[in-house]
Amino acid sequence: MSLTAINTLTKISCVAVIGKMNNPMFIKNYSNEVDELKFHYLANISCDLIEAKITQSKYNDSYLGLLYIMEDLAVYGYLTNTKIKIIIILTISINPVKDMEMKQIFKKVHAVYSNLISNPFYDPDSRNITSSSFIKGIDNIVNTSFQNDVTPS
Amino acid sequence: MSLYKQDKRQVCESCFDYIFIEMVHYFNDIDNSTDKEKELKSSKLEQMGYLTGQSLAERLTGDRSRFTDNLDVIKFVCKDFWSTIFKKQVDNLKTNHKGTYVLTDNNFKWFSKMSSNSGQEDFKKEVLPYLSFPCGIIRGVLSNLGINCTVLADVNPPNQCIFQIKTVKS
């Protein structure tokens, strides 16, 4: 695939949920081009950046905005009040990504996570999230995001 | 603030009242249980509350800005959390600024339909098992928001409830 073809559409490449103790609970790769290991590595970097950001008082919202950009991947972070970190990695295009739009996506992911926690069959001590309805929920968010992106001719 | 924003689900209060009564009956009404067993059962109720509290905390704090300190979290429990669960706010909050918080609710909703023919002391004894579940909920909420604590409750008839929260240094 040529470089221009990749970069005309913004899309979510990875969604990660990191637990209270910085333990990765869920990392799913939605990209065909990038190796999964890279996302594990990017998510780990984000943990430190999130910790650094929340000490500044201007970030008193759950949404922490753009954390960093590496090559054509933009990493966005979100920290819930219950200290769960949600990280979304985008493959960026020339279309700018609006903060409001990202915030909405994070809120949806958090809602899916809340539903998971409310499931009586979910074991809060389990290390990985394997719930099928959770994965389905996240898949759904990924598939419906950035639908309105206009591909420039 | 509604519990289930996405699909606007609601909970029937009467149904909840009945299930709450039955829950406590289920764990306490077995006559031949020893004191030790009774303790075990109340800790089971407490554990149920704990899990409930954990998921409530996740849901209710979604739209809030970040908490600055423990007092901020306790204030959230007294205001937003209390009004979601008990339809009113806590009447009085006291703290010694050393990690102990005392929450007084002068008209505890879940006990508003309870009364007893026996005297005040007996009523207290009868009503105590019903406090394990709400104590567990409070402990669950606080623990998910990063405060490890123990919660004790006392009741003053007819339905004034006092919850004492002692934070544990982790």
Side-chain angles (χ1 to χ4, degrees):
Chain A
M1 198 182 272
S2 72
L3 197 68
T4 40
I6 299 169
N7 285 348
T8 46
L9 268 178
T10 304
K11 65 178 168 90
I12 297 176
S13 295
C14 171
V15 177
V17 178
I18 316 280
K20 284 180 210 285
M21 314 299 291
N22 278 343
N23 52 314
M25 293 161 82
F26 177 84
I27 293 184
K28 188 165 178 190
N29 185 355
Y30 287 98
S31 152
N32 303 321
E33 295 99 31
V34 190
D35 185 35
E36 180 147 356
L37 192 64
K38 185 168 187 182
F39 288 130
H40 278 261
Y41 159 72
L42 291 178
N44 268 312
I45 302 175
S46 322
C47 288
D48 290 336
L49 279 166
I50 289 176
E51 304 272 331
K53 265 207 171 181
I54 54 169
T55 53
Q56 301 169 36
S57 57
K58 62 175 173 176
Y59 295 109
N60 63 357
D61 190 54
S62 300
Y63 176 65
L64 297 169
L66 179 66
L67 297 175
Y68 61 96
I69 297 180
M70 190 173 274
E71 293 153 21
D72 63 340
L73 299 172
V75 182
Y76 286 81
Y78 186 94
L79 180 77
T80 70
N81 273 309
T82 52
K83 303 282 176 275
I84 302 289
K85 300 183 179 82
I86 303 171
I87 293 156
I88 293 181
I89 304 178
L90 299 181
T91 302
I92 43 173
S93 68
I94 47 172
N95 294 330
V97 178
K98 290 187 203 85
D99 266 348
M100 266 320 284
E101 203 170 353
M102 278 316 286
K103 207 170 168 175
Q104 286 305 319
I105 296 170
F106 275 116
K107 287 236 179 293
K108 281 188 217 159
V109 175
H110 187 214
V112 173
Y113 179 77
S114 308
N115 286 344
L116 171 82
I117 295 291
S118 311
N119 178 359
F121 300 115
Y122 170 71
D123 173 17
D125 297 326
S126 67
R127 305 216 62 151
N128 289 311
I129 299 174
T130 49
S131 153
S132 58
S133 67
F134 177 80
I135 296 171
K136 218 183 276 169
I138 301 288
D139 287 352
N140 194 20
I141 293 168
V142 171
N143 293 334
T144 52
S145 301
F146 300 113
Q147 289 288 312
N148 310 330
D149 242 19
V150 215
T151 318
S153 49
Chain B
M1 196 189 299
S2 72
L3 266 185
Y4 298 96
K5 287 184 209 82
Q6 300 97 31
D7 39 9
K8 297 213 166 61
R9 254 185 287 181
Q10 292 188 321
V11 178
C12 172
E13 274 179 28
S14 315
C15 288
F16 174 77
D17 280 349
Y18 289 127
I19 198 171
F20 178 53
I21 292 169
E22 267 323 301
M23 250 157 57
V24 179
H25 269 209
Y26 178 76
F27 285 109
N28 284 286
D29 248 25
I30 304 157
D31 290 333
N32 54 3
S33 57
T34 61
D35 279 357
K36 207 175 172 185
E37 279 178 78
K38 272 186 182 148
E39 207 169 279
L40 192 80
K41 277 160 194 156
S42 86
S43 86
K44 242 192 175 143
L45 267 174
E46 209 264 353
Q47 187 61 26
M48 283 165 71
Y50 180 75
L51 291 176
T52 313
Q54 289 235 316
S55 48
L56 278 173
E58 194 67 57
R59 223 178 261 284
L60 295 179
T61 56
D63 289 336
R64 272 189 67 101
S65 57
R66 199 180 318 288
F67 294 114
T68 48
D69 54 3
N70 281 4
L71 190 62
D72 212 18
V73 178
I74 301 281
K75 276 184 188 156
F76 159 78
V77 170
C78 292
K79 289 181 179 160
D80 299 342
F81 167 78
W82 221 264
S83 46
T84 312
I85 307 295
F86 305 115
K87 304 275 173 254
K88 71 192 279 291
Q89 296 187 359
V90 165
D91 293 302
N92 192 325
L93 163 68
K94 280 186 199 142
T95 172
N96 66 352
H97 295 289
K98 282 177 191 151
T100 305
Y101 303 90
V102 180
L103 278 56
T104 315
D105 188 337
N106 291 332
N107 194 0
F108 193 57
K109 187 158 190 306
W110 290 0
F111 292 176
S112 59
K113 308 223 166 41
M114 287 183 192
S115 68
S116 174
N117 290 331
S118 44
Q120 290 215 343
E121 280 307 305
D122 289 331
F123 177 69
K124 252 186 172 177
K125 218 177 269 173
E126 281 171 21
V127 89
L128 274 180
Y130 289 86
L131 281 166
S132 318
F133 186 64
C135 279
I137 294 184
I138 295 170
R139 194 168 69 86
V141 169
L142 291 174
S143 118
N144 205 359
L145 296 174
I147 303 178
N148 287 323
C149 60
T150 54
V151 181
L152 291 171
D154 200 9
V155 58
N156 278 332
N159 47 21
Q160 182 191 55
C161 276
I162 301 155
F163 293 92
Q164 196 182 61
I165 300 165
K166 269 193 189 144
T167 54
V168 186
K169 290 230 164 64
S170 51

